[in-house]
Amino acid sequence: MTRKSAFHTLTTLMLLAGIAQAQGLEQGLTAEQYNTRALELADKAKAQYPVAFYDLMGWKEAVQNAEAAVKAEPDNLDYQRTLGMLYTQTQVWYKAYQVWTGLEAKTTLDPEAKAWAALSAARIGYIRIMSGKPEEAQPFLEASLRWQNNPKVQALLERAEGRSSAINDQ
């Protein structure tokens, strides 16, 4: 295969992927329909892929539908919870954290939501530590521990505060 034909093939595949992506969000649905569709697409994606990533088409469509539900009814806490859960599952950590902190300001998080929220905050903290920014990790790790007690997150917080040099493998 020549470089030119490889480029042409790649360009065609990218175009087709873009068309498929654009078709992932059906227009004109109600917020409830978008939310239901988001959950259905997430279930299908779980069955299709061993790991959840936003870049995988089924997961991306699920997130886009959850975003559309929240956009249509921004005050609906159930739709926000769905979006937070999907952001967390697809490892969109900062957006997940924003959703969870926003929800926490409006209502008491149930234990499952606290677990999702704690995971998103812990991952951001871990990434900040690994990026050499332990001072930026502290608020996220503290939030994670507020939502759910976890010895590994506590160890990360101690490292971020300079009280420990060891990080347990996650």
Side-chain angles (χ1 to χ4, degrees):
M1 182 179 280
T2 67
R3 281 187 144 191
K4 186 175 181 179
S5 67
F7 177 77
H8 178 69
T9 302
L10 180 60
T11 304
T12 303
L13 289 173
M14 289 173 62
L15 176 64
L16 291 173
I19 291 168
Q21 178 182 347
Q23 293 172 348
L25 186 62
E26 191 175 328
Q27 299 300 311
L29 299 180
T30 66
E32 182 178 4
Q33 289 169 322
Y34 279 126
N35 192 66
T36 299
R37 185 164 162 76
L39 294 169
E40 289 169 354
L41 288 166
D43 285 341
K44 288 180 184 177
K46 284 177 195 170
Q48 186 175 4
Y49 302 109
V51 179
F53 287 110
Y54 179 80
D55 293 335
L56 297 172
M57 187 51 70
W59 284 109
K60 189 171 196 170
E61 290 177 30
V63 170
Q64 289 171 338
N65 277 271
E67 290 170 337
V70 170
K71 184 177 179 181
E73 286 188 31
D75 295 329
N76 187 306
L77 302 181
D78 289 333
Y79 302 161
Q80 291 178 33
R81 186 182 189 287
T82 297
L83 182 59
M85 178 188 68
L86 290 175
Y87 277 150
T88 306
Q89 287 179 324
T90 58
Q91 304 178 41
V92 183
W93 305 122
Y94 194 74
K95 283 186 176 183
Y97 177 79
Q98 289 177 313
V99 170
W100 295 123
T101 55
L103 263 174
E104 185 182 43
K106 298 172 188 172
T107 188
T108 302
L109 299 180
D110 63 67
E112 183 181 21
K114 284 182 180 182
W116 288 117
L119 176 61
S120 67
R123 291 297 182 175
I124 295 168
Y126 178 78
I127 290 166
R128 298 284 163 92
I129 287 174
M130 302 300 6
S131 300
K133 301 174 185 173
E135 66 285 348
E136 292 180 14
Q138 289 179 19
F140 296 104
L141 298 171
E142 289 167 352
S144 179
L145 289 168
R146 184 179 73 244
W147 285 316
Q148 187 176 60
N149 189 25
N150 183 317
K152 289 183 179 183
V153 175
Q154 184 63 48
L156 286 171
L157 179 59
E158 289 172 10
R159 176 165 179 175
E161 293 172 338
R163 294 188 284 147
S164 171
S165 61
I167 292 184
N168 296 330
D169 291 336
Q170 291 197 358

